[in-house]
Amino acid sequence: MTEGTPISYEAAARGTPVLSSSGKQIGTLEHVLEVSDLDLFEGIVIATQHGLRFVDADHIPQITTTHIQTSLTDEQAVQLPPPSGPPVYTVDALADSGHSLHDVIRRLFGHPHWKRETD
């Protein structure tokens, strides 16, 4: 994998490959966890073949434009815990778009559409 340019956690893009200490891809970035009021990086949630998993900031020595490097061994990566806490929701701006009869009826009688990001 190419080295990439080091970046801030705030610039990390969803879908960026996340690597173990051996360089093996263990997942892709789902989202960054931060306390924005304190400018505090908590860690990341990654999508793996076993579902969403949490990686603490202490295990992330470098974030680049091409990948996120962790200090986890391949064995530790398999044992990562799922994220805890309340789920994160975002508005899906395209949920109420469209011109079909179904889309029009959904806009008239439906509730705002929210998309759940985590389990």
Side-chain angles (χ1 to χ4, degrees):
M1 176 153 299
T2 61
E3 286 298 315
T5 304
I7 59 173
S8 165
Y9 69 88
E10 296 172 316
R14 184 177 185 190
T16 301
V18 179
L19 310 177
S20 68
S21 60
S22 70
K24 178 182 175 186
Q25 183 172 335
I26 58 174
T28 57
L29 178 64
E30 190 62 28
H31 60 270
V32 172
L33 298 173
E34 67 174 325
V35 179
S36 56
D37 294 342
L38 302 175
D39 192 28
L40 182 64
F41 175 49
E42 293 283 331
I44 59 174
V45 174
I46 63 173
T48 71
Q49 63 185 11
H50 304 292
L52 296 179
R53 296 293 183 256
F54 172 72
V55 181
D56 191 82
D58 293 342
H59 296 293
I60 304 171
Q62 185 177 44
I63 300 174
T64 72
T65 53
T66 58
H67 66 278
I68 298 172
Q69 184 66 53
T70 70
S71 60
L72 300 168
T73 65
D74 294 333
E75 294 79 27
Q76 290 171 321
V78 171
Q79 299 174 4
L80 285 170
S84 62
V88 176
Y89 292 91
T90 59
V91 175
D92 184 354
L94 297 177
D96 287 328
S97 62
H99 301 290
S100 71
L101 179 60
H102 178 267
D103 293 329
V104 172
I105 291 173
R106 184 175 53 185
R107 281 194 297 272
L108 290 172
F109 300 105
H111 298 285
H113 295 279
W114 290 81
K115 181 179 178 184
R116 187 175 183 162
E117 287 191 352
T118 61
D119 293 327

